[in-house]
């Protein structure tokens, strides 16, 4: 690994770079090697109680060979920390999955059953984050309030100390006699002790953690400035000289603690604002009140397991649970891809995200929040981070910038030392290190990605990873499936041709065979033929086929009583219909003419995609004439009558291609695409084979995705320039002596706060997108 020297604001930021070097992930700051971090991962007696068997039995969720527990973490204060917590499995193999909730401060760990909890807990503490095992949900608020209370207490004490010392300093600056000045300085020397020995502890702790690892943390210069300034001041008090800086030191401690607290609050709320965006726009639910026997409206977040909920007609089901009412009709297309409502009876399971297509019904809540099936699917997406070129670029800029700042600081000290004024050099170097901070470079990119991700989620555009927002900008070719993508995918039989005289009884038998052949297929043509056969038959066939074989892109065949039956695309179709031949023992008996309507938005979407400047081609298994006719209407290229293997080969020959198709039927082609996009099928199936799932089955979403990606990149570049402008300006003011350490403490968070507000403001398009949600 490349050897780098750098300052870190926390241990988490150090280990993030470690992960990049050894695991090719995205870091925020710099770290030399992984071995130094691993050397500290040792056991501690403080956490031995966690190894007691009752801990797992009482407080862990157990599934197969994995146990899941929750910890509240102290010390999370930047996105480097957040990213490290999301990738703990790269540090220790006992950790299967780690998920951190920035709003609650909770780390959810899924561990191998043989994992030693005391070891895991001590790993977290040695990384700089003290863990507290969550035993009851109300403990979360207590831990968070306790940590916030301590931070405010440190600020309050520093404010009181600074205020009182400043009163004495004003008297001295106003011309107090030498005798009174001596007393005022001695009193200040006593008053400042609480600030030095309590309020400033966080700076010392971070500095010591860095020194133990033979690293220089960003708080080390601050700690040195405080300690050296205090020593010089106490010596001055003893010798009765004028070099007393207690007022400056106390103010520096107060301002640094205050600005960091405000910065953490604003960044946390901004990040939570983007992360909290939900797939479902559910604000309230109707819960049964046992006391008065009435349903009452409560906030969506307040429901708990065992609650009885009323789901009205057309409403999205808010939780996982069981049906209480006699029956219900549920549209489960989000999860299964099936558009036809499913009839459920009392006691059967209903899932969050599905829709009530019938009358209002009652349900009992079993799972809420992260425990629902839909939320588990969403949690499996790698939302917080993405291995993107933009992310890597901003990280490199941050690393080089920080290294440059350190070098300039050293040169400044040496220059003023040469001039015989080392104290001025040290003061300006310390001011430089305080006021210039790479945090804005670190927070800008992930906040921009998080914002774009959340907006798209509200538009029912689900991304596997935020790096999709960059990948789409590199696309060179666009390939579109026809059925269900450009067309509605809902075929209907418009004509039947009988190639020989067939009695009504024989026709019923043919329809029965067709039904048995196609009933389990999810292809739109198969579903059309299944529905057609079912409508014509008086009852569902009671017999079963002896064998069944479906060949993707070619057809389906089966055996019954020694006869071979087959459904396959006809070669004698026309440019208006999809034609399907039914044959018995190789002889075609009937041909079915199917018609599929083009989507209303297809033409306008294609026109806007054409402005993107990328070649657009239809890839379809339909007859060449049908595909060519549609392509001519849309003024794009087309290739028809393709097998799944042929589609995949075309994608393989075009390495930077976007492919839009059905997750079930186009899986082979999607696998070969640079950016695979699914428009049909259930969310689980689609996200297994694609990077993007358009849940609303609307091709318009593809335009929204591209424009959001383009605007997000603009926002990232704007944030980058804002951060660099601030840091260069602040560095100039520090080096020229226009500002000192106190003003540096005031200005330090401005860069990060500017980036936060820049993201909240967004761009014109992103503001329009937000208003449309």
């Amino acid at each position: 690994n490349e050897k780098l020297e750098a300052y870190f604001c926390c241990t988490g930021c150090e280990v993030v770079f470690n992960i990049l070097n050894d695991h090719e992930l995205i870091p925020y700051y710099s770290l030399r090697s992984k071995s130094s971090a691993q050397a500290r991962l040792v056991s501690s007696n403080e956490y031995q109680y966690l190894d007691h068997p009752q801990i797992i039995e009482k407080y862990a969720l157990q599934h197969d060979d994995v146990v899941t527990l929750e910890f509240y973490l102290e010390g999370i204060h930047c996105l480097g920390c957040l990213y490290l917590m999301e990738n703990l499995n790269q540090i220790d193999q006992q950790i299967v999955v780690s998920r951190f909730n920035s709003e609650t401060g909770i780390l959810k760990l899924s561990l191998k059953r043989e994992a030693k909890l005391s070891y895991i807990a001590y790993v977290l503490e040695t990384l700089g984050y003290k863990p507290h095992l969550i035993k009851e949900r109300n403990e979360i608020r207590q831990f968070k309030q306790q940590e916030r209370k301590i931070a405010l207490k440190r600020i309050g004490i520093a404010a009181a100390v600074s205020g009182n010392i400043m009163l004495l300093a004003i008297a001295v600056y106003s011309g107090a006699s030498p005798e009174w000045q001596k007393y005022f300085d001695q009193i200040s020397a006593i008053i400042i002790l609480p600030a030095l020995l309590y309020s400033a502890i966080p700076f010392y702790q971070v500095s010591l953690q860095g020194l133990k690892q033979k690293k220089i943390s960003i708080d080390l210069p601050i700690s040195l400035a405080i300690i050296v300034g205090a020593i010089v001041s106490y010596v001055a008090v003893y010798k009765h000289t004028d070099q007393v800086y207690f007022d400056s030191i106390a103010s520096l401690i107060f301002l640094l603690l205050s600005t960091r607290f405000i910065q953490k609050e604003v960044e946390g709320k901004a990040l939570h604002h983007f992360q909290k965006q939900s797939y479902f726009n559910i604000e309230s639910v109707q819960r049964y009140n046992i006391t008065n026997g009435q349903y009452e409206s409560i906030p969506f977040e307040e429901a708990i397991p065992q609650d009885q909920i009323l789901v009205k007609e057309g409403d999205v089901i808010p939780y996982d649970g069981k049906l209480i009412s006699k029956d219900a009709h549920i549209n489960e297309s989000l999860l299964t891809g099936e558009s036809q409502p499913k009839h459920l009876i009392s006691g059967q399971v209903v899932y969050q995200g599905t829709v009530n297509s019938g009358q209002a019904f009652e349900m009992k809540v079993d799972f809420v929040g992260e425990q629902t099936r839909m939320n588990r699917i969403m949690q499996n997406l790698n939302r917080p981070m993405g291995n993107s070129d933009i992310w890597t670029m901003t990280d490199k800029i941050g690393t080089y910038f920080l290294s440059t700042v350190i070098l300039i600081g050293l040169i400044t000290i040496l220059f003023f030392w040469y001039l015989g004024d080392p104290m001025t050099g040290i003061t300006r170097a310390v001011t430089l290190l305080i006021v210039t901070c790479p945090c804005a470079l670190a927070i800008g990119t992930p906040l921009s990605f998080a914002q774009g991700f959340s907006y798209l989620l509200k538009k029912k555009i689900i991304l596997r990873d935020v790096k999709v927002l960059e990948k789409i900008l590199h696309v060179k070719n666009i390939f579109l499936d026809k059925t269900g993508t450009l067309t509605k995918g809902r075929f209907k039989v418009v004509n039947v041709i009988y190639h020989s005289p067939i009695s009504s009884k024989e026709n019923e038998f043919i329809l029965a065979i067709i039904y048995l052949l196609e009933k389990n297929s999810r292809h739109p043509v198969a579903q059309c033929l299944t529905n057609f056969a079912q409508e014509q038959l008086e009852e569902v066939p009671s017999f079963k086929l002896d064998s069944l074989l479906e060949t993707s892109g070619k057809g389906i065949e089966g055996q019954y009583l020694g006869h071979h039956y087959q459904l396959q695309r006809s070669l004698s179709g026309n440019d208006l219909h999809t034609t399907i031949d039914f044959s018995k023992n190789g002889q075609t008996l009937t041909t079915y003419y199917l018609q599929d309507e083009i989507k209303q938005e297809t033409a306008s979407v294609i026109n806007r995609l054409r402005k993107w400047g990328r070649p657009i081609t239809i890839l379809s298994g339909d007859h060449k004439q049908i595909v060519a006719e549609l392509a001519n209407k849309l003024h794009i290229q087309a290739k028809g009558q393709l097998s799944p293997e042929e589609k995949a080969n075309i994608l393989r020959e075009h390495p930077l291609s976007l492919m839009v198709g059905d997750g079930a039927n186009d899986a082979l082609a999607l696998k070969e695409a640079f950016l695979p996009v699914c428009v049909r099928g259930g969310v689980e199936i689609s996200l297994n084979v694609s990077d993007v799932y358009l849940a609303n089955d609307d091709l318009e979403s593809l335009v929204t995705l591209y424009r959001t990606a383009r605007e997000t990149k603009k926002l990232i570049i704007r944030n980058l320039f804002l951060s660099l402008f601030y840091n260069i300006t602040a560095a100039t003011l520090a080096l020229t002596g226009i500002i000192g350490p106190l003003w540096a403490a005031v200005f330090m968070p401005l860069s990060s706060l500017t980036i936060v507000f820049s993201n909240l403001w967004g761009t014109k398009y992103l503001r329009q997108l937000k208003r449309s949600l």
Side-chain angles (χ1 to χ4, degrees), residues 1-230:
N1 295 336
E2 183 182 0
K3 184 177 180 181
L4 294 173
E5 296 288 345
Y7 287 83
F8 303 97
C9 70
C10 62
T11 309
C13 296
E14 264 184 303
V15 181
V16 168
F17 182 79
N18 188 336
I19 295 174
L20 173 68
N21 281 351
D22 293 301
H23 301 284
E24 299 182 357
L25 298 173
I26 306 299
Y28 286 92
Y29 305 104
S30 303
L31 188 65
R32 289 184 181 175
S33 67
K34 187 177 180 182
S35 58
S36 62
Q38 286 185 327
R40 300 184 294 103
L41 306 186
V42 294
S43 184
S44 170
N45 292 333
E46 180 180 352
Y47 296 106
Q48 280 187 348
Y49 77 95
L50 293 174
D51 295 327
H52 196 282
Q54 288 186 352
I55 292 294
I56 298 294
E57 293 176 8
K58 293 180 66 175
Y59 306 120
L61 294 175
Q62 303 183 52
H63 181 70
D64 296 333
D65 293 329
V66 176
V67 296
T68 301
L69 298 99
E70 293 181 336
F71 291 89
Y72 178 81
L73 296 187
E74 293 182 21
I76 299 292
H77 69 279
C78 73
L79 291 176
C81 305
L82 172 61
Y83 178 66
L84 176 60
M85 293 302 101
E86 291 274 340
N87 290 277
L88 288 172
N89 60 326
Q90 302 290 349
I91 296 176
D92 195 293
Q93 294 183 351
Q94 295 182 94
I95 301 172
V96 180
V97 178
S98 59
R99 288 287 182 267
F100 183 75
N101 186 316
S102 61
E103 178 191 11
T104 62
I106 292 179
L107 176 69
K108 178 182 285 188
L109 289 178
S110 293
L111 310 171
K112 295 180 179 178
R113 188 172 291 276
E114 64 272 14
K116 194 172 183 181
L117 290 184
S118 61
Y119 174 85
I120 299 297
Y122 192 60
V123 166
L124 293 170
E125 181 161 0
T126 52
L127 289 174
Y129 315 106
K130 186 173 180 61
H132 302 275
L133 179 65
I134 298 298
K135 300 175 183 177
E136 296 181 5
R137 300 304 295 180
N138 59 6
E139 289 183 324
I140 300 170
R141 182 176 296 178
Q142 295 175 5
F143 285 131
K144 196 162 188 175
Q145 288 178 345
Q146 181 180 359
E147 185 179 15
R148 197 169 184 272
K149 185 177 179 181
I150 292 174
L152 289 173
K153 187 187 296 184
R154 295 187 194 279
I155 294 172
I157 290 174
V161 168
S162 177
N164 283 281
I165 292 179
M166 194 62 68
L167 290 174
L168 298 173
I170 290 173
V172 173
Y173 297 148
S174 299
S177 65
E179 187 67 22
W180 280 105
Q181 180 179 345
K182 179 179 70 173
Y183 289 133
F184 289 157
D185 288 343
Q186 291 172 350
I187 295 172
S188 297
I190 297 173
I191 294 176
I192 200 174
L193 288 175
L196 290 174
L197 302 179
Y198 179 72
S199 295
I201 284 178
F203 305 124
Y204 308 148
Q205 288 177 333
V206 175
S207 301
L208 286 173
Q209 287 174 359
L211 292 174
K212 287 179 181 178
Q213 301 172 63
K214 300 180 181 179
K215 301 290 188 302
I216 301 175
S217 87
I218 197 69
D219 280 351
L220 183 60
I222 296 173
S223 299
L224 289 175
I226 294 172
I227 294 171
V228 172

Side-chain angles (χ1 to χ4, degrees), residues 37 112 147 339 382 464 488-489 567 671 688:
K112 295 180 179 178
E147 185 179 15
S339 59
N382 184 13
R464 177 186 293 277
K488 294 182 178 179
L567 280 167
K671 183 179 179 182
N688 281 333

Side-chain angles (χ1 to χ4, degrees), residues 351-558:
Y351 293 104
Q352 180 190 48
T354 57
V355 179
N356 178 13
S357 298
Q359 299 295 321
F361 65 82
E362 297 171 316
M363 62 172 285
K364 185 190 76 173
V365 177
D366 287 336
F367 299 105
V368 300
E370 296 179 351
Q371 301 302 317
T372 66
R373 180 181 177 186
M374 188 62 193
N375 271 302
R376 290 199 303 270
I377 293 171
M378 299 303 292
Q379 286 172 18
N380 288 332
L381 304 183
N382 184 13
R383 278 195 251 172
M385 300 295 159
N387 188 11
S388 69
D389 293 338
I390 296 176
W391 219 312
T392 305
M393 177 190 69
T394 55
D395 175 69
K396 286 182 178 179
I397 292 174
T399 301
Y400 292 144
F401 178 81
L402 192 51
S403 301
T404 302
V405 168
I406 295 169
L407 180 61
I408 293 173
L410 291 174
I411 293 173
T412 301
I413 294 174
L414 294 175
F415 176 74
F416 280 94
W417 197 297
Y418 175 77
L419 295 179
D421 189 6
M423 287 305 298
T424 298
I426 293 174
T427 300
R428 294 189 181 184
V430 169
T431 303
L432 176 69
L433 292 173
I434 292 173
V435 77
T436 56
C437 180
C439 295
L441 292 171
I443 194 176
T445 301
L447 268 181
S448 299
F449 275 135
Q451 175 176 259
F453 188 103
S454 64
Y455 288 170
L456 291 172
L457 192 62
K458 282 286 189 179
K459 283 288 187 179
K460 300 189 184 303
I461 304 171
I462 304 177
L463 311 185
R464 177 186 293 277
D465 192 291
V466 293
K467 64 185 177 184
V468 169
L469 293 173
E470 183 177 0
K471 287 178 69 175
I472 193 171
L473 300 178
H474 295 301
V475 166
K476 300 298 183 186
N477 296 278
I478 301 175
F479 293 100
L480 306 171
D481 180 42
K482 170 184 164 288
T483 304
T485 301
L486 301 175
T487 63
K488 294 182 178 179
R490 293 190 291 270
F491 288 88
K492 60 180 179 180
V493 176
V494 295
N495 192 21
V496 181
I497 299 297
Y498 299 94
H499 296 280
S500 60
I502 295 176
S503 66
S504 59
K505 188 173 183 181
E506 289 174 323
N507 187 51
E508 286 186 12
F509 180 75
I510 290 174
L511 293 172
I513 294 294
I514 290 175
Y515 175 82
L516 295 173
L517 285 172
E518 298 283 33
K519 67 175 184 176
N520 293 319
S521 176
R522 296 185 63 255
H523 194 281
V525 170
Q527 293 177 348
C528 170
L529 291 173
T530 301
N531 294 334
F532 176 75
Q534 196 170 9
E535 290 171 1
Q536 301 295 316
L537 294 170
E538 294 183 359
E539 58 183 20
V540 174
S542 57
F543 62 93
K544 295 182 180 179
L545 297 176
D546 299 326
S547 66
L548 183 67
L549 175 64
E550 182 175 9
T551 304
S552 182
K554 295 183 179 180
I556 191 166
E557 55 191 301

Side-chain angles (χ1 to χ4, degrees), residues 650-671:
I650 292 173
L651 268 298
R652 205 174 291 119
E653 293 168 1
H654 298 80
L656 292 177
S657 294
L658 181 151
M659 172 68 187
V660 184
D662 185 326
N665 299 310
D666 296 308
L668 196 60
L670 290 168
K671 183 179 179 182

Side-chain angles (χ1 to χ4, degrees), residues 316-327:
V316 175
I317 297 175
Y319 318 101
D320 289 359
K322 290 185 177 64
L323 189 64
I324 296 177
S325 299
K326 181 180 178 181
D327 64 352

